[in-house]
Amino acid sequence: MTSSTTPKFERWQVNRRHLLKTIGAGAVMLGAAPTRLLAADATLKVWAASGQRWEFANKGVAPLFEAANPGTSVQITGTPIGEYGSKVAAAMAAGSTEWDVIQLDYAQLPQFAPAGWVAPLDQWIDADEEYKKSLSDIPSNVLALYRSDGKQYGVPADSNAMMTYYRADILDKYGMKVPDTWDEVVEIAKELHNNKSGIYGYVGSLGRGLYAYLGLLPVIWSYGGEIWDEKTYEIKIDKGDAGFKALSVLTELVKYGDPASVNGTDDEVNSSMASGNSAMAPSAWGNTVMNDPKYSKFADAIKTTVVPAGKPGLKVPAMGGLGHMVVQRSTQKDLAWKYVRFVTSDDPAVGKAWVDNTGQPARLSFLTNPQFVKEHPHFPTLADTLKVARPYGGGLPEAYAIADVIGTVVSSIISGDIAVEPGLKKVGDETYKFLTDNGYSATR
Amino acid sequence: MTDSAARHPPPIADSPGTVSRTLAALDLQNRRTFLLFVGPTVVVLVAIIIFPMVYSLATAFRFSVLYKPQASRFVGFSNFSSLLGSEYTQVAFLNTAIYTLITVTIEMVAGFFLALLLSRAIYGARYFRTALMVPILISPIIVGLSWRFMYNPSIGIIDQALSGIGLAKINWLTDSKIAFWAVMVPDIWQWTPFVTLVLLAGIHSISPEIREAALLDGLRLRHMIRYIYLRMLVPVIVVILLIRFIDALKTFDVVFILTQGGPGLSTMLISIRTWTLGLINLNMGQAAALSYMIVLVMSVFVVGLLRLLKQRVG
């Protein structure tokens, strides 16, 4: 075969000119790389859940940290919240030394602290009197979420709790008052359904598993009930009438509310409210979407209040939130702590950067700051809600697993597959089985 | 290397045992070259396929929960027995079996008749064949999201259309009696075209003389289907069945996005159960055990189909 007939790829080779060209191109690309990365003496790797509240907020604060710490660069990696927890756990279990700081859901601390994956922060906190004093600005029950075995493993820059979002204009239009009890929520849902307003009176995130479990909590707690006793592991859901009332309320709400609630996640709730399909989300997670005119033309009409009561005056929303923690295997733990301290500090400039970048702070001074409240009108409600909110998961390392078991049965009940009464027994049986299978001395 | 050796390279190993024979037949330099080319591939295969398989098989027999590394231990068949005793797993297996059977059957039947139709001289068939490619090319995640929107009772096009013609809206994904059937539709929508296109290629490969002879013998369409098309397409059908059954048994993305396995357990598939065990419960032992149970079921099925193929083709 002559060279003219040989295909081009057969004749391809690397000569000295090619090699020099490649090296030159590489040098140009290196020159174009962000100068701050090249100039950095140290690079801090922060792993957060992606998007609003977490990744964006960290990215908002990082430049301030870099400015305050010349020679330090912060790299923030975001992973979707649905897979973030398991990916972080897998990385830690594999002994990864890649990460310095993680922002973790408190419900996973009972997994991470005993496994030795995160470092206790007490040595640094105790050595910093000013910072330690400033922590009184974070509600003590929120700070306690990140404590295990007497040690503080995390400090939250972020907080969350369930609250009631409602359309003030719709309630006004139909002469309804803001509901104070779950019974009133059911009444509103029923009335808006029956008067053919075209708007649902209820939307909730009750999808199978974790969502349905979380959806049950503020209702059963507000009737004074429990699924299981967190100290004695006694199964309580089918004892007394709180469980029955709570599941009856949810079943009624689903009947009259937005059907999307049955498989609903936060997305369904936010979009149903933001698009004007629903007038009320009585136990929605706090978020910066619904009140944002960029996302909803009803933003100004959507107001918030603390979740409804079951028993008179008993309002008990579930608590959310992700705290900043130092990874035990980090090779630069002091620097990692420096970042945690910075991002969770009471410096108003840091707070502003956090809030401006969709963050939802844990500090009461930020949640009640008039400038921030103007931007996010639900902050004062969140501040009030945090005072009465309760953590979910019962402090078990198997929090998500038990939530999946309970939430699956709850989903069957609210979708009508199982009636409320036998359903209650089934929740009790499944919870008992789960706890005993996992080595807890549960009683029935 | 001599010129003759370069011009006449040794035969490529194509059957068991020939690799060692080939190596033995090579001189030292050729053997080195052979190992240099084959070695990296073997190393990569071992690293990314063989090792994870062996490791996960070992994990299936261990108590292995990510956040309890100290408690990790050999537990024999305990993971398998607890899974088999679990109502969730039983429902997931049953749902997966029904899901697979129904979706694949509908895809095969619909795909066959569509292929038959498109094999005729129909005006525009060329464009239709191209259009058939579209669903196959879409990522399952996008298919799931699109159908989730379409099924939405408030804003979805399906319920809007039903309302438009005066029919009641249907809660496609939130009514547990309907949801299981509703999650099958996107799969059928996406994969019937694949069956159609492969069968169409099979139909085109049947010699026109055979069809003409059958027509001259006065065979009616149903006889043509039974005695010509189905008989001659057996190898193609078996291969499609193999691909579609394996795919359907593994279905995850679309159903997960549509319902996450709910309401209740109504759309719980074995893949979603495995995901829950591994990535929610972080119980790698049970997740690995369930994965191997799926592999076992698939293997039995694949071996059965391959035997059928061998018999027919033989």
Side-chain angles (χ1 to χ4, degrees), chain B residues 165-229:
Chain B
I165 53 171
L167 295 173
K169 286 184 176 181
I170 295 170
N171 294 328
W172 298 100
L173 299 176
T174 56
D175 183 331
S176 57
K177 291 172 194 73
I178 299 170
F180 185 57
W181 309 103
V183 296
M184 291 181 187
V185 177
D187 190 278
I188 294 167
W189 173 81
Q190 186 170 30
W191 294 111
T192 300
F194 167 76
V195 177
T196 306
L197 291 175
V198 180
L199 282 175
L200 188 61
I203 290 172
H204 283 314
S205 71
I206 297 173
S207 164
E209 286 86 4
I210 295 176
R211 277 194 276 177
E212 281 159 18
L215 287 174
L216 282 175
D217 285 346
L219 254 65
R220 288 170 176 274
L221 180 65
R222 66 171 189 277
H223 294 128
M224 287 277 282
I225 289 172
R226 191 172 164 190
Y227 297 112
I228 307 288
Y229 292 120

Side-chain angles (χ1 to χ4, degrees), chain B residues 96 99-100 103-104 187 243-251:
Chain B
T96 308
Y99 177 93
T100 304
T103 53
V104 175
D187 190 278
I243 295 170
R244 285 306 307 137
F245 259 95
I246 291 172
D247 259 359
L249 279 169
K250 292 191 303 185
T251 300

Side-chain angles (χ1 to χ4, degrees), chain A residues 11 15 27 56 90-91 111 118 161 208 242-243 294 303 390 416 422 425:
Chain A
R11 286 182 277 130
N15 58 25
F56 295 166
Q111 299 173 348
V118 283
R208 187 198 67 80
K294 269 190 290 188
K303 307 288 181 198
R390 262 183 68 175
K425 190 181 171 307

Side-chain angles (χ1 to χ4, degrees), chain A residues 167 270-278 287-302:
Chain A
R167 284 274 300 277
N270 293 344
S271 66
S272 185
M273 287 294 292
S275 64
N277 268 335
S278 294
N287 66 84
T288 50
V289 176
M290 286 191 227
N291 290 124
D292 190 335
K294 269 190 290 188
Y295 296 104
S296 174
K297 61 179 176 179
F298 308 106
D300 289 340
I302 296 176

Side-chain angles (χ1 to χ4, degrees), chain B residues 42-272:
Chain B
V42 172
V43 169
V44 170
L45 281 178
V46 168
I48 66 170
I49 296 177
I50 310 293
F51 173 71
M53 276 183 73
V54 173
Y55 188 83
S56 58
L57 184 63
T59 306
F61 292 94
R62 297 185 69 78
F63 174 84
S64 174
V65 175
L66 275 188
Y67 52 86
K68 291 180 179 172
Q70 303 88 345
S72 178
R73 63 189 183 278
F74 179 76
V75 290
F77 283 92
S78 154
N79 286 330
F80 293 89
S81 58
S82 72
L83 284 171
L84 286 172
S86 150
E87 182 202 346
Y88 289 24
T89 311
Q90 290 165 4
V91 171
F93 263 117
L94 184 67
N95 282 352
T96 308
I98 298 172
Y99 177 93
T100 304
L101 204 69
I102 292 180
T103 53
V104 175
T105 305
I106 295 177
E107 285 161 19
M108 291 303 294
V109 174
F112 178 76
F113 284 105
L114 266 175
L116 213 56
L117 196 70
L118 290 173
S119 67
R120 307 294 153 126
I122 296 173
Y123 179 76
R126 202 154 53 111
Y127 302 106
F128 190 67
R129 275 201 295 269
T130 312
L132 273 179
M133 290 293 291
V134 175
I136 309 169
L137 299 176
I138 302 174
S139 144
I141 302 280
I142 306 297
V143 172
L145 287 170
S146 309
W147 280 88
R148 193 165 121 181
F149 276 114
M150 290 199 289
Y151 276 142
N152 188 301
S154 307
I155 54 170
I157 190 170
I158 300 175
D159 272 345
Q160 296 288 341
L162 288 178
S163 296
I165 53 171
L167 295 173
K169 286 184 176 181
I170 295 170
N171 294 328
W172 298 100
L173 299 176
T174 56
D175 183 331
S176 57
K177 291 172 194 73
I178 299 170
F180 185 57
W181 309 103
V183 296
M184 291 181 187
V185 177
D187 190 278
I188 294 167
W189 173 81
Q190 186 170 30
W191 294 111
T192 300
F194 167 76
V195 177
T196 306
L197 291 175
V198 180
L199 282 175
L200 188 61
I203 290 172
H204 283 314
S205 71
I206 297 173
S207 164
E209 286 86 4
I210 295 176
R211 277 194 276 177
E212 281 159 18
L215 287 174
L216 282 175
D217 285 346
L219 254 65
R220 288 170 176 274
L221 180 65
R222 66 171 189 277
H223 294 128
M224 287 277 282
I225 289 172
R226 191 172 164 190
Y227 297 112
I228 307 288
Y229 292 120
L230 284 181
R231 291 223 170 155
M232 303 207 74
L233 287 175
V234 164
V236 181
I237 290 171
V238 170
V239 171
I240 299 173
L241 273 176
L242 206 65
I243 295 170
R244 285 306 307 137
F245 259 95
I246 291 172
D247 259 359
L249 279 169
K250 292 191 303 185
T251 300
F252 176 77
D253 339 42
V254 173
V255 179
F256 185 78
I257 284 171
L258 288 173
T259 61
Q260 296 206 21
L265 289 172
S266 60
T267 60
M268 175 61 72
L269 299 181
I270 207 70
S271 56
I272 298 178

Side-chain angles (χ1 to χ4, degrees), chain A residues 429-440:
Chain A
D429 289 345
E430 292 287 340
T431 310
Y432 175 76
K433 185 176 179 309
F434 182 92
L435 288 171
T436 48
D437 283 354
N438 282 278
Y440 299 95

